[in-house]
Structure formats: C-alpha cells, structure tokens
Amino acid sequence: MSRKKFLVTILLLLLGIATGCWDRKELDQVSLVTGLALEISEDDAFSLTIEAINASELNAQTAEGLAPTITYELKGLTMAELLNKMNMGITRELNFSHTRTLIVDEKVAEEGISKFLQFLEKSGQFRNDFQIIVAKGVKATDIITTTYPIQKVPSMKMYEQFTTIEETWGGYPQSALTDFVFSLTSEGRHPVSAAVTVKGKPEEGHNVDDNKDLDLDAVLEYSGMAMFHNDRLVGFLSVEETRNYMWTQDINRTTATAPCGEDGYFALQIYNSHTKVDASFENDVPKFTVRVIIEGDIHDNQCAHGLDEISTYENYQKIMEEHLEEKLTKTITSVQENHGVDVFGFGEHLSKQQYKKFKEHVDDWDEEFSHAVIDVVASVYIRRDGMRTKSFIDQLDE
C-alpha cells in the first residue's frame, strides 16, 4: 500500500471514530409508540392519546404482571405541538417508527382528518404504512386501551388481526396512510378505512387482570368499513358488505357460501379472483360492467348432492354466480342510493377508458355515480371438490 493510500485510510478510520452514529439512541432511552388515538376534547380542540410499549412486560423473564402498554393524553391544536409535548408525562423520548395504527374517533372523522394526516405524511418520524382506523360506536381511546392475553399490545393485536383477515377471508380494506392519501387526491375515488369496535364492555378491557377470565369482558372486533367523502366520514358498511366491496377490488383468498337447496348450503374456498370493470357512456349516463372471475374448490357441502357427478359442479357454479351477482349488486346500489360516494373507484376506470367524457363530469362525479347503471357479471369455476366425493348425507335419506 502506498504512503498516500495509507494516510487516507487512517484519516477515514479516525473520522469514523470521532463521529460515530451521532443521532443514535439506545432502546433503554426511548419509548416505542405503537398507536395513536384522536378525539374531540370538551373545548372543541382535540386530544391525542399515545400508546407506548412497556417493554419489560413483553419479556417473559422481566414481566411482573403490569400493563403491557402505557397511554398518555394531551389536548391541543396541532399534531406537531402535542407530539413534542408528550414528555410532560412520558419519561423517555418517543420513537414513532413502529406506529401501527391511528385510531380516529367518529366525531373527528366526520369533521375531516386531512389536517392531521398532512403532518404525519410529511414527518420523517413515521412510516407510511400504519393503518387508519375509525372507532365505531366507542371512543378511540377505548381501542388502544383494550388488552388481550395473546397479543398484549392493542395496536399490534389489531395489525396482526387485520393481516390475518386479509390473507384468509379477504374482507379487509387496506387503509394504510399511502392508500388513504392516494384515494383522497384521486379523481374518481373516495377513501375508505377499516372500522373497529369493542365487543362487550369497553371499560372492562382496561385492566390486565380481566385477561385471566376465559370469557373476556371486552374484545377488539373488526366492524367493517368506513366510507369518506373526501376526508369526511359519511357512513359505514357491515362486515359482509365490506367483503362484497372487496370483490370489486380483487380478493386473493376467501370462502363464499351459497344455498344449495332447502337442506343447507355449500361453500367454495376461493384461491384465485380477478375483477375487471368495463366503463362507458350510454345516452350520457355512465354505465359499468363489473366482471368477477373466480376459481375455487368445494370446501363444504351440506346438501345430498354427489360430488362425483359433473351436474353437481355445473349446478353449484350457476348458483354461486347468481348469488355473488345479487350480493354485489345490492351493496353497490346501497352505496349509490344511501351515501352517493364512489368508494369503488368506478370514476378511475372511466377516466382511463373514457378520459374526455369523464373530464366533462369530473366536478359532479358523485352525482353521476349515484345514478350510474352498474351490472355485475360473475363467472365461477370449480376446479375440484376438495373433500370426499360421496356424501354420507346421501345415506341418511335412504
């Protein structure tokens, strides 16, 4: 090595030793914030409650049976002010890189949430994949203070629960900050978010001792979907209606049930689903055809129809097609008539397929959406039975 290269190497090493990680914080110097709750305070300002992890209680060797999280509330006018003032009651510096949920009270959502989201989106302290959730019928703080014996941190419990719902049942709308802001700024689509409530008595879920009961007095429960007009809450869809909404957005995996006769029902385990929307104008009225194509296996069969006969498959395919068409049409029509907000993104499809025509109606698109003609066409393909072909129910009728 030349003398010049040697000196450069020594200088770089000294520089690294001198500077180090100047902004490094050890774990015992910070509190990890996993959830935020927004509510309106009594003086019409707003209150912000944080949920911070009590790390020692998540370690089996150091746990003492205390609360797994610590919450602290402040009232004020801006997010920036409150987040920087939280150390009035919290000992350590707050770290927001692990924030998983922003729980919004119904009243806050009805008045508009963009002024809160703007700070969170621009702030370098937050990741942009935390979920925006509306507290339905309960206070936002009830959500982040309801404990659970398996996943002890309420926000982490919700995050894992929603991920599982999305992967296994497909009935969960993605409501990460990026998704919400994209819909908020998009022409032809309004934002949606998940809705959560507390099943039971919310006040009973604040005590970790309640987790010792077999039948919990309070459980966080997914409650469907919240719909927004721009950034203001206008209504909710039930859990089943939310799954109908998700059919229009593509579902990766779910289970669909339909009647197979007076005797019972059959269920399809869907492993492949694709939705295509054809958009057009007829007599100056927007028209859409929603084509849903799904593949699946028969997962349950309560009727005495043998699965070794092709006629059974053909009959079940037709029944499921009609069943899905009816359910999706009912949900879409309900949103058109009762809420008048295009949360499905039909306007987006129209802007891509009929751009000039859509631009003529972009300023009053919600009005156009409310009387648009929307047809649902389902195509179901049952690939295999997924269970024994001969049903023992046949033998019961002999």
Side-chain angles (χ1 to χ4, degrees):
M1 181 183 294
S2 66
R3 180 181 177 84
K4 184 176 180 180
K5 290 183 178 179
F6 178 76
L7 290 174
V8 170
T9 302
I10 294 297
L11 288 173
L12 290 174
L13 289 173
L14 291 175
L15 183 63
I17 293 173
T19 58
C21 297
W22 63 272
D23 61 345
R24 182 184 66 186
K25 295 287 184 181
E26 299 294 341
L27 286 177
D28 60 358
Q29 296 177 305
V30 299
S31 290
L32 298 179
V33 177
T34 52
L36 304 173
L38 274 172
E39 295 177 343
I40 298 292
S41 63
E42 296 176 357
D43 53 0
D44 289 332
F46 77 94
S47 67
L48 178 66
T49 304
I50 65 166
E51 171 197 75
I53 291 178
N54 182 6
S56 62
E57 287 301 311
L58 302 181
N59 187 324
Q61 297 179 344
T62 59
E64 299 179 10
L66 303 177
T69 60
I70 301 167
T71 60
Y72 184 68
E73 176 191 10
L74 275 181
K75 299 177 181 179
L77 299 174
T78 66
M79 293 284 283
E81 171 196 359
L82 291 181
L83 289 175
N84 289 326
K85 284 174 61 178
M86 282 294 173
N87 284 108
M88 291 176 59
I90 299 293
T91 306
R92 298 175 180 176
E93 182 178 337
L94 300 180
N95 183 293
F96 299 96
S97 61
H98 288 71
T99 301
R100 285 288 179 249
T101 56
L102 169 64
I103 313 299
V104 182
D105 193 79
E106 279 190 56
K107 189 174 180 181
V108 175
E110 288 170 355
E111 296 186 2
I113 63 175
S114 59
K115 59 185 177 182
F116 305 112
L117 300 183
Q118 184 178 17
F119 170 78
L120 299 177
E121 185 196 29
K122 294 176 66 176
S123 173
Q125 302 179 69
F126 291 84
R127 294 167 56 174
N128 57 14
D129 62 348
F130 64 82
Q131 299 291 305
I132 299 170
I133 298 169
V134 176
K136 182 180 179 182
V138 295
K139 296 171 58 179
T141 50
D142 288 334
I143 302 298
I144 62 172
T145 54
T146 299
T147 60
Y148 192 68
I150 299 176
Q151 174 50 269
K152 296 183 178 181
V153 181
S155 289
M156 299 298 290
K157 188 259 186 184
M158 279 186 290
Y159 191 84
E160 292 184 13
Q161 179 177 343
F162 294 160
T163 300
T164 304
I165 291 174
E166 182 181 13
E167 292 176 351
T168 59
W169 198 63
Y172 172 74
Q174 269 296 329
S175 55
L177 176 63
T178 49
D179 300 306
F180 196 95
V181 172
F182 177 80
S183 298
L184 192 61
T185 57
S186 174
E187 293 182 338
R189 179 188 290 272
H190 287 289
V192 300
S193 76
V196 174
T197 191
V198 178
K199 182 180 180 181
K201 303 175 182 178
E203 64 276 7
E204 298 294 334
H206 302 176
N207 194 333
V208 293
D209 290 336
D210 292 331
N211 290 333
K212 298 177 182 179
D213 297 332
L214 294 178
D215 186 10
L216 299 179
D217 292 325
V219 178
L220 289 178
E221 188 172 81
Y222 173 53
S223 187
M225 187 177 85
M227 298 180 292
F228 291 78
H229 179 269
N230 295 327
D231 69 333
R232 297 175 183 269
L233 175 69
V234 295
F236 295 94
L237 293 184
S238 68
V239 173
E240 189 62 33
E241 288 173 327
T242 301
R243 209 264 294 265
N244 295 339
Y245 162 85
M246 291 303 300
W247 282 110
T248 69
Q249 309 297 304
D250 283 345
I251 288 182
N252 292 326
R253 184 179 177 184
T254 190
T255 299
T257 301
C260 51
E262 297 180 357
D263 299 329
Y265 298 83
F266 75 98
L268 291 185
Q269 187 173 51
I270 310 301
Y271 55 79
N272 187 21
S273 172
H274 176 68
T275 302
K276 179 182 178 182
V277 178
D278 296 325
S280 63
F281 267 90
E282 289 188 7
N283 299 322
D284 209 36
V285 176
K287 181 178 181 180
F288 300 92
T289 301
V290 182
R291 304 184 187 278
V292 180
I293 304 172
I294 66 174
E295 293 180 286
D297 301 338
I298 295 180
H299 202 53
D300 196 354
N301 183 29
Q302 297 178 352
C303 295
H305 302 305
L307 298 180
D308 54 350
E309 298 181 8
I310 193 170
S311 60
T312 300
Y313 292 83
E314 293 173 341
N315 185 38
Y316 281 9
Q317 286 181 168
K318 183 178 180 181
I319 291 174
M320 185 59 72
E321 288 171 351
E322 294 175 351
H323 180 70
L324 290 177
E325 290 170 359
E326 180 183 352
K327 287 168 63 70
L328 270 62
T329 299
K330 183 177 180 180
T331 297
I332 294 171
T333 302
S334 175
V335 174
Q336 286 180 287
E337 296 178 351
N338 299 324
H339 304 288
V341 288
D342 183 4
V343 294
F344 301 92
F346 289 125
E348 284 185 348
H349 292 286
L350 189 62
S351 68
K352 294 175 182 178
Q353 300 176 36
Q354 302 280 339
Y355 179 75
K356 291 183 178 180
K357 198 69 175 176
F358 174 73
K359 278 298 182 181
E360 295 177 8
H361 299 278
V362 66
D363 293 332
D364 60 346
W365 173 243
D366 286 327
E367 178 63 27
E368 293 293 326
F369 163 73
S370 65
H371 64 258
V373 177
I374 302 174
D375 298 320
V376 178
V377 179
S379 299
V380 176
Y381 299 94
I382 301 177
R383 298 307 187 190
R384 56 188 67 84
D385 55 78
M387 55 192 297
R388 59 186 293 179
T389 56
K390 291 287 188 180
S391 172
F392 69 85
I393 296 179
D394 291 343
Q395 303 174 22
L396 299 179
D397 297 332
E398 293 179 355

